[in-house]
PDB file of all heavy atoms in Angstrom:
ATOM      1  N   LYS A 184       0.808  -1.220   0.000  1.00 97.00           N
ATOM      2  CA  LYS A 184       0.000   0.000   0.000  1.00 97.00           C
ATOM      3  C   LYS A 184       0.844   1.274   0.000  1.00 97.00           C
ATOM      4  O   LYS A 184       0.408   2.309  -0.499  1.00 97.00           O
ATOM      5  CB  LYS A 184      -0.947   0.007   1.202  1.00 97.00           C
ATOM      6  CG  LYS A 184      -2.003  -1.099   1.180  1.00 97.00           C
ATOM      7  CD  LYS A 184      -3.040  -0.866   0.099  1.00 97.00           C
ATOM      8  CE  LYS A 184      -4.209  -1.851   0.242  1.00 97.00           C
ATOM      9  NZ  LYS A 184      -5.253  -1.631  -0.805  1.00 97.00           N
ATOM     10  N   ILE A 185       2.042   1.216   0.523  1.00 98.00           N
ATOM     11  CA  ILE A 185       2.908   2.391   0.618  1.00 98.00           C
ATOM     12  C   ILE A 185       3.291   2.920  -0.764  1.00 98.00           C
ATOM     13  O   ILE A 185       3.503   4.128  -0.938  1.00 98.00           O
ATOM     14  CB  ILE A 185       4.173   2.069   1.440  1.00 98.00           C
ATOM     15  CG1 ILE A 185       5.012   3.325   1.732  1.00 98.00           C
ATOM     16  CG2 ILE A 185       5.036   1.012   0.736  1.00 98.00           C
ATOM     17  CD1 ILE A 185       4.449   4.195   2.774  1.00 98.00           C
ATOM     18  N   ASN A 186       3.358   2.041  -1.786  1.00 98.00           N
ATOM     19  CA  ASN A 186       3.718   2.482  -3.133  1.00 98.00           C
ATOM     20  C   ASN A 186       2.737   3.536  -3.646  1.00 98.00           C
ATOM     21  O   ASN A 186       3.130   4.601  -4.131  1.00 98.00           O
ATOM     22  CB  ASN A 186       3.735   1.294  -4.103  1.00 98.00           C
ATOM     23  CG  ASN A 186       4.624   0.164  -3.660  1.00 98.00           C
ATOM     24  OD1 ASN A 186       5.711   0.376  -3.128  1.00 98.00           O
ATOM     25  ND2 ASN A 186       4.178  -1.066  -3.863  1.00 98.00           N
ATOM     26  N   ASN A 187       1.466   3.230  -3.531  1.00 98.00           N
ATOM     27  CA  ASN A 187       0.417   4.124  -4.010  1.00 98.00           C
ATOM     28  C   ASN A 187       0.254   5.354  -3.121  1.00 98.00           C
ATOM     29  O   ASN A 187       0.086   6.474  -3.614  1.00 98.00           O
ATOM     30  CB  ASN A 187      -0.902   3.349  -4.095  1.00 98.00           C
ATOM     31  CG  ASN A 187      -2.110   4.233  -4.331  1.00 98.00           C
ATOM     32  OD1 ASN A 187      -2.209   4.904  -5.348  1.00 98.00           O
ATOM     33  ND2 ASN A 187      -3.031   4.245  -3.372  1.00 98.00           N
ATOM     34  N   ALA A 188       0.307   5.155  -1.797  1.00 98.00           N
ATOM     35  CA  ALA A 188       0.156   6.289  -0.880  1.00 98.00           C
ATOM     36  C   ALA A 188       1.232   7.332  -1.121  1.00 98.00           C
ATOM     37  O   ALA A 188       0.962   8.545  -1.132  1.00 98.00           O
ATOM     38  CB  ALA A 188       0.197   5.800   0.572  1.00 98.00           C
ATOM     39  N   LEU A 189       2.445   6.880  -1.347  1.00 98.00           N
ATOM     40  CA  LEU A 189       3.550   7.797  -1.607  1.00 98.00           C
ATOM     41  C   LEU A 189       3.327   8.560  -2.908  1.00 98.00           C
ATOM     42  O   LEU A 189       3.471   9.799  -2.951  1.00 98.00           O
ATOM     43  CB  LEU A 189       4.860   7.017  -1.659  1.00 98.00           C
ATOM     44  CG  LEU A 189       6.138   7.806  -1.890  1.00 98.00           C
ATOM     45  CD1 LEU A 189       6.340   8.833  -0.798  1.00 98.00           C
ATOM     46  CD2 LEU A 189       7.341   6.853  -1.964  1.00 98.00           C
ATOM     47  N   GLY A 190       2.975   7.862  -3.964  1.00 98.00           N
ATOM     48  CA  GLY A 190       2.746   8.514  -5.246  1.00 98.00           C
ATOM     49  C   GLY A 190       1.641   9.549  -5.173  1.00 98.00           C
ATOM     50  O   GLY A 190       1.774  10.673  -5.689  1.00 98.00           O
ATOM     51  N   GLN A 191       0.535   9.208  -4.508  1.00 97.00           N
ATOM     52  CA  GLN A 191      -0.582  10.142  -4.432  1.00 97.00           C
ATOM     53  C   GLN A 191      -0.279  11.357  -3.553  1.00 97.00           C
ATOM     54  O   GLN A 191      -0.739  12.464  -3.836  1.00 97.00           O
ATOM     55  CB  GLN A 191      -1.836   9.417  -3.941  1.00 97.00           C
ATOM     56  CG  GLN A 191      -2.450   8.485  -4.975  1.00 97.00           C
ATOM     57  CD  GLN A 191      -3.915   8.227  -4.719  1.00 97.00           C
ATOM     58  OE1 GLN A 191      -4.705   9.135  -4.479  1.00 97.00           O
ATOM     59  NE2 GLN A 191      -4.296   6.964  -4.778  1.00 97.00           N
ATOM     60  N   VAL A 192       0.475  11.176  -2.477  1.00 98.00           N
ATOM     61  CA  VAL A 192       0.839  12.327  -1.649  1.00 98.00           C
ATOM     62  C   VAL A 192       1.741  13.289  -2.421  1.00 98.00           C
ATOM     63  O   VAL A 192       1.593  14.518  -2.309  1.00 98.00           O
ATOM     64  CB  VAL A 192       1.495  11.866  -0.329  1.00 98.00           C
ATOM     65  CG1 VAL A 192       2.336  12.994   0.278  1.00 98.00           C
ATOM     66  CG2 VAL A 192       0.431  11.445   0.665  1.00 98.00           C
ATOM     67  N   LEU A 193       2.668  12.757  -3.196  1.00 97.00           N
ATOM     68  CA  LEU A 193       3.501  13.629  -4.019  1.00 97.00           C
ATOM     69  C   LEU A 193       2.652  14.422  -5.017  1.00 97.00           C
ATOM     70  O   LEU A 193       2.910  15.600  -5.271  1.00 97.00           O
ATOM     71  CB  LEU A 193       4.555  12.807  -4.760  1.00 97.00           C
ATOM     72  CG  LEU A 193       5.641  12.164  -3.891  1.00 97.00           C
ATOM     73  CD1 LEU A 193       6.613  11.370  -4.761  1.00 97.00           C
ATOM     74  CD2 LEU A 193       6.393  13.199  -3.073  1.00 97.00           C
ATOM     75  N   LEU A 194       1.630  13.780  -5.568  1.00 97.00           N
ATOM     76  CA  LEU A 194       0.706  14.485  -6.452  1.00 97.00           C
ATOM     77  C   LEU A 194      -0.079  15.548  -5.687  1.00 97.00           C
ATOM     78  O   LEU A 194      -0.228  16.686  -6.149  1.00 97.00           O
ATOM     79  CB  LEU A 194      -0.277  13.498  -7.096  1.00 97.00           C
ATOM     80  CG  LEU A 194       0.134  12.801  -8.377  1.00 97.00           C
ATOM     81  CD1 LEU A 194      -0.967  11.845  -8.825  1.00 97.00           C
ATOM     82  CD2 LEU A 194       0.401  13.812  -9.490  1.00 97.00           C
ATOM     83  N   ALA A 195      -0.599  15.169  -4.522  1.00 97.00           N
ATOM     84  CA  ALA A 195      -1.412  16.085  -3.728  1.00 97.00           C
ATOM     85  C   ALA A 195      -0.631  17.344  -3.365  1.00 97.00           C
ATOM     86  O   ALA A 195      -1.165  18.460  -3.391  1.00 97.00           O
ATOM     87  CB  ALA A 195      -1.921  15.390  -2.469  1.00 97.00           C
ATOM     88  N   LYS A 196       0.631  17.195  -3.017  1.00 96.00           N
ATOM     89  CA  LYS A 196       1.463  18.350  -2.673  1.00 96.00           C
ATOM     90  C   LYS A 196       1.612  19.279  -3.865  1.00 96.00           C
ATOM     91  O   LYS A 196       1.542  20.506  -3.728  1.00 96.00           O
ATOM     92  CB  LYS A 196       2.832  17.875  -2.178  1.00 96.00           C
ATOM     93  CG  LYS A 196       2.835  17.371  -0.740  1.00 96.00           C
ATOM     94  CD  LYS A 196       4.232  16.982  -0.307  1.00 96.00           C
ATOM     95  CE  LYS A 196       5.204  18.171  -0.285  1.00 96.00           C
ATOM     96  NZ  LYS A 196       4.849  19.191   0.747  1.00 96.00           N
ATOM     97  N   ARG A 197       1.787  18.698  -5.042  1.00 96.00           N
ATOM     98  CA  ARG A 197       1.916  19.528  -6.237  1.00 96.00           C
ATOM     99  C   ARG A 197       0.601  20.192  -6.609  1.00 96.00           C
ATOM    100  O   ARG A 197       0.591  21.221  -7.286  1.00 96.00           O
ATOM    101  CB  ARG A 197       2.454  18.684  -7.396  1.00 96.00           C
ATOM    102  CG  ARG A 197       3.954  18.411  -7.273  1.00 96.00           C
ATOM    103  CD  ARG A 197       4.405  17.255  -8.170  1.00 96.00           C
ATOM    104  NE  ARG A 197       5.866  17.184  -8.250  1.00 96.00           N
ATOM    105  CZ  ARG A 197       6.639  16.680  -7.307  1.00 96.00           C
ATOM    106  NH1 ARG A 197       6.087  16.202  -6.186  1.00 96.00           N
ATOM    107  NH2 ARG A 197       7.955  16.629  -7.461  1.00 96.00           N
ATOM    108  N   MET A 198      -0.520  19.622  -6.147  1.00 96.00           N
ATOM    109  CA  MET A 198      -1.837  20.213  -6.395  1.00 96.00           C
ATOM    110  C   MET A 198      -2.218  21.227  -5.314  1.00 96.00           C
ATOM    111  O   MET A 198      -3.280  21.833  -5.389  1.00 96.00           O
ATOM    112  CB  MET A 198      -2.886  19.106  -6.468  1.00 96.00           C
ATOM    113  CG  MET A 198      -2.742  18.188  -7.682  1.00 96.00           C
ATOM    114  SD  MET A 198      -3.680  16.629  -7.498  1.00 96.00           S
ATOM    115  CE  MET A 198      -5.363  17.247  -7.407  1.00 96.00           C
ATOM    116  N   GLY A 199      -1.349  21.391  -4.322  1.00 96.00           N
ATOM    117  CA  GLY A 199      -1.600  22.367  -3.274  1.00 96.00           C
ATOM    118  C   GLY A 199      -2.549  21.903  -2.184  1.00 96.00           C
ATOM    119  O   GLY A 199      -3.048  22.718  -1.400  1.00 96.00           O
ATOM    120  N   LYS A 200      -2.807  20.607  -2.090  1.00 96.00           N
ATOM    121  CA  LYS A 200      -3.703  20.080  -1.066  1.00 96.00           C
ATOM    122  C   LYS A 200      -2.924  19.865   0.237  1.00 96.00           C
ATOM    123  O   LYS A 200      -1.845  19.277   0.230  1.00 96.00           O
ATOM    124  CB  LYS A 200      -4.320  18.746  -1.507  1.00 96.00           C
ATOM    125  CG  LYS A 200      -4.951  18.785  -2.911  1.00 96.00           C
ATOM    126  CD  LYS A 200      -6.174  19.668  -2.976  1.00 96.00           C
ATOM    127  CE  LYS A 200      -6.834  19.558  -4.365  1.00 96.00           C
ATOM    128  NZ  LYS A 200      -8.033  20.408  -4.498  1.00 96.00           N
ATOM    129  N   GLN A 201      -3.490  20.312   1.342  1.00 94.00           N
ATOM    130  CA  GLN A 201      -2.833  20.201   2.643  1.00 94.00           C
ATOM    131  C   GLN A 201      -3.526  19.218   3.580  1.00 94.00           C
ATOM    132  O   GLN A 201      -3.040  18.956   4.677  1.00 94.00           O
ATOM    133  CB  GLN A 201      -2.762  21.583   3.310  1.00 94.00           C
ATOM    134  CG  GLN A 201      -1.851  22.572   2.594  1.00 94.00           C
ATOM    135  CD  GLN A 201      -0.410  22.085   2.558  1.00 94.00           C
ATOM    136  OE1 GLN A 201       0.162  21.649   3.558  1.00 94.00           O
ATOM    137  NE2 GLN A 201       0.198  22.144   1.374  1.00 94.00           N
ATOM    138  N   ARG A 202      -4.663  18.704   3.157  1.00 97.00           N
ATOM    139  CA  ARG A 202      -5.420  17.749   3.977  1.00 97.00           C
ATOM    140  C   ARG A 202      -5.640  16.478   3.162  1.00 97.00           C
ATOM    141  O   ARG A 202      -6.090  16.536   2.024  1.00 97.00           O
ATOM    142  CB  ARG A 202      -6.769  18.348   4.403  1.00 97.00           C
ATOM    143  CG  ARG A 202      -7.639  17.431   5.254  1.00 97.00           C
ATOM    144  CD  ARG A 202      -8.895  18.186   5.718  1.00 97.00           C
ATOM    145  NE  ARG A 202      -9.772  17.368   6.533  1.00 97.00           N
ATOM    146  CZ  ARG A 202     -10.807  16.674   6.067  1.00 97.00           C
ATOM    147  NH1 ARG A 202     -11.079  16.687   4.749  1.00 97.00           N
ATOM    148  NH2 ARG A 202     -11.564  15.952   6.876  1.00 97.00           N
ATOM    149  N   ILE A 203      -5.335  15.337   3.780  1.00 98.00           N
ATOM    150  CA  ILE A 203      -5.446  14.042   3.117  1.00 98.00           C
ATOM    151  C   ILE A 203      -6.458  13.190   3.874  1.00 98.00           C
ATOM    152  O   ILE A 203      -6.416  13.091   5.100  1.00 98.00           O
ATOM    153  CB  ILE A 203      -4.087  13.307   3.086  1.00 98.00           C
ATOM    154  CG1 ILE A 203      -3.018  14.158   2.398  1.00 98.00           C
ATOM    155  CG2 ILE A 203      -4.234  11.944   2.414  1.00 98.00           C
ATOM    156  CD1 ILE A 203      -3.271  14.438   0.945  1.00 98.00           C
ATOM    157  N   ILE A 204      -7.359  12.554   3.132  1.00 98.00           N
ATOM    158  CA  ILE A 204      -8.270  11.579   3.734  1.00 98.00           C
ATOM    159  C   ILE A 204      -8.089  10.240   3.028  1.00 98.00           C
ATOM    160  O   ILE A 204      -7.639  10.168   1.882  1.00 98.00           O
ATOM    161  CB  ILE A 204      -9.751  12.023   3.650  1.00 98.00           C
ATOM    162  CG1 ILE A 204     -10.195  12.186   2.186  1.00 98.00           C
ATOM    163  CG2 ILE A 204      -9.970  13.313   4.426  1.00 98.00           C
ATOM    164  CD1 ILE A 204     -11.683  12.470   2.032  1.00 98.00           C
ATOM    165  N   ALA A 205      -8.430   9.186   3.745  1.00 96.00           N
ATOM    166  CA  ALA A 205      -8.328   7.846   3.176  1.00 96.00           C
ATOM    167  C   ALA A 205      -9.296   6.923   3.897  1.00 96.00           C
ATOM    168  O   ALA A 205      -9.711   7.201   5.024  1.00 96.00           O
ATOM    169  CB  ALA A 205      -6.899   7.299   3.294  1.00 96.00           C
ATOM    170  N   GLU A 206      -9.652   5.839   3.236  1.00 93.00           N
ATOM    171  CA  GLU A 206     -10.410   4.762   3.860  1.00 93.00           C
ATOM    172  C   GLU A 206      -9.453   3.606   4.152  1.00 93.00           C
ATOM    173  O   GLU A 206      -8.394   3.500   3.541  1.00 93.00           O
ATOM    174  CB  GLU A 206     -11.533   4.285   2.925  1.00 93.00           C
ATOM    175  CG  GLU A 206     -11.148   3.218   1.911  1.00 93.00           C
ATOM    176  CD  GLU A 206     -10.083   3.651   0.889  1.00 93.00           C
ATOM    177  OE1 GLU A 206     -10.031   4.856   0.565  1.00 93.00           O
ATOM    178  OE2 GLU A 206      -9.308   2.788   0.412  1.00 93.00           O
ATOM    179  N   THR A 207      -9.814   2.779   5.091  1.00 92.00           N
ATOM    180  CA  THR A 207      -8.998   1.584   5.311  1.00 92.00           C
ATOM    181  C   THR A 207      -9.851   0.468   5.890  1.00 92.00           C
ATOM    182  O   THR A 207     -10.819   0.726   6.612  1.00 92.00           O
ATOM    183  CB  THR A 207      -7.782   1.888   6.217  1.00 92.00           C
ATOM    184  OG1 THR A 207      -6.817   0.850   6.099  1.00 92.00           O
ATOM    185  CG2 THR A 207      -8.203   2.065   7.675  1.00 92.00           C
ATOM    186  N   GLY A 208      -9.465  -0.783   5.556  1.00 87.00           N
ATOM    187  CA  GLY A 208     -10.157  -1.950   6.083  1.00 87.00           C
ATOM    188  C   GLY A 208      -9.247  -2.677   7.061  1.00 87.00           C
ATOM    189  O   GLY A 208      -9.380  -2.570   8.285  1.00 87.00           O
ATOM    190  N   ALA A 209      -8.255  -3.374   6.491  1.00 83.00           N
ATOM    191  CA  ALA A 209      -7.283  -4.064   7.334  1.00 83.00           C
ATOM    192  C   ALA A 209      -6.315  -3.097   8.012  1.00 83.00           C
ATOM    193  O   ALA A 209      -5.546  -3.488   8.885  1.00 83.00           O
ATOM    194  CB  ALA A 209      -6.511  -5.084   6.500  1.00 83.00           C
ATOM    195  N   GLY A 210      -6.351  -1.847   7.585  1.00 88.00           N
ATOM    196  CA  GLY A 210      -5.490  -0.854   8.206  1.00 88.00           C
ATOM    197  C   GLY A 210      -4.186  -0.607   7.488  1.00 88.00           C
ATOM    198  O   GLY A 210      -3.494   0.370   7.787  1.00 88.00           O
ATOM    199  N   GLN A 211      -3.828  -1.460   6.526  1.00 93.00           N
ATOM    200  CA  GLN A 211      -2.541  -1.310   5.866  1.00 93.00           C
ATOM    201  C   GLN A 211      -2.489  -0.056   4.998  1.00 93.00           C
ATOM    202  O   GLN A 211      -1.467   0.631   4.961  1.00 93.00           O
ATOM    203  CB  GLN A 211      -2.224  -2.554   5.027  1.00 93.00           C
ATOM    204  CG  GLN A 211      -2.007  -3.829   5.845  1.00 93.00           C
ATOM    205  CD  GLN A 211      -0.764  -3.753   6.717  1.00 93.00           C
ATOM    206  OE1 GLN A 211      -0.726  -3.057   7.727  1.00 93.00           O
ATOM    207  NE2 GLN A 211       0.254  -4.451   6.347  1.00 93.00           N
ATOM    208  N   HIS A 212      -3.583   0.239   4.300  1.00 95.00           N
ATOM    209  CA  HIS A 212      -3.628   1.474   3.524  1.00 95.00           C
ATOM    210  C   HIS A 212      -3.668   2.693   4.450  1.00 95.00           C
ATOM    211  O   HIS A 212      -3.029   3.707   4.181  1.00 95.00           O
ATOM    212  CB  HIS A 212      -4.836   1.474   2.588  1.00 95.00           C
ATOM    213  CG  HIS A 212      -5.014   2.759   1.833  1.00 95.00           C
ATOM    214  ND1 HIS A 212      -4.030   3.287   1.024  1.00 95.00           N
ATOM    215  CD2 HIS A 212      -6.055   3.637   1.773  1.00 95.00           C
ATOM    216  CE1 HIS A 212      -4.441   4.421   0.497  1.00 95.00           C
ATOM    217  NE2 HIS A 212      -5.662   4.661   0.945  1.00 95.00           N
ATOM    218  N   GLY A 213      -4.407   2.578   5.543  1.00 95.00           N
ATOM    219  CA  GLY A 213      -4.448   3.666   6.504  1.00 95.00           C
ATOM    220  C   GLY A 213      -3.080   3.943   7.111  1.00 95.00           C
ATOM    221  O   GLY A 213      -2.669   5.100   7.249  1.00 95.00           O
ATOM    222  N   VAL A 214      -2.364   2.897   7.481  1.00 96.00           N
ATOM    223  CA  VAL A 214      -1.021   3.047   8.032  1.00 96.00           C
ATOM    224  C   VAL A 214      -0.085   3.671   7.000  1.00 96.00           C
ATOM    225  O   VAL A 214       0.700   4.572   7.313  1.00 96.00           O
ATOM    226  CB  VAL A 214      -0.465   1.696   8.522  1.00 96.00           C
ATOM    227  CG1 VAL A 214       1.031   1.800   8.843  1.00 96.00           C
ATOM    228  CG2 VAL A 214      -1.229   1.218   9.749  1.00 96.00           C
ATOM    229  N   ALA A 215      -0.165   3.201   5.764  1.00 97.00           N
ATOM    230  CA  ALA A 215       0.683   3.755   4.707  1.00 97.00           C
ATOM    231  C   ALA A 215       0.396   5.235   4.492  1.00 97.00           C
ATOM    232  O   ALA A 215       1.318   6.054   4.356  1.00 97.00           O
ATOM    233  CB  ALA A 215       0.473   2.980   3.403  1.00 97.00           C
TER     234      ALA A 215
END
C-alpha cells in the first residue's frame, strides 16, 4: 500500500492540497 500512498501524496502536494483523507479496512492502507 505504501507504493500508491507515496505517489498520491507527491501528487497532492503539487496540487496544493494540505489535507489528506483515506479509507482503510485491514489498516494497511491507513497506516501507509
Side-chain angles (χ1 to χ4, degrees):
K184 295 290 189 179
I185 188 75
N186 305 321
N187 169 62
L189 181 59
Q191 287 203 47
V192 158
L193 292 180
L194 273 179
K196 282 183 64 66
R197 284 163 168 78
M198 292 164 63
K200 309 293 185 180
Q201 293 299 312
R202 180 175 180 266
I203 303 296
I204 61 174
E206 87 297 330
T207 197
Q211 294 294 73
H212 175 57
V214 169

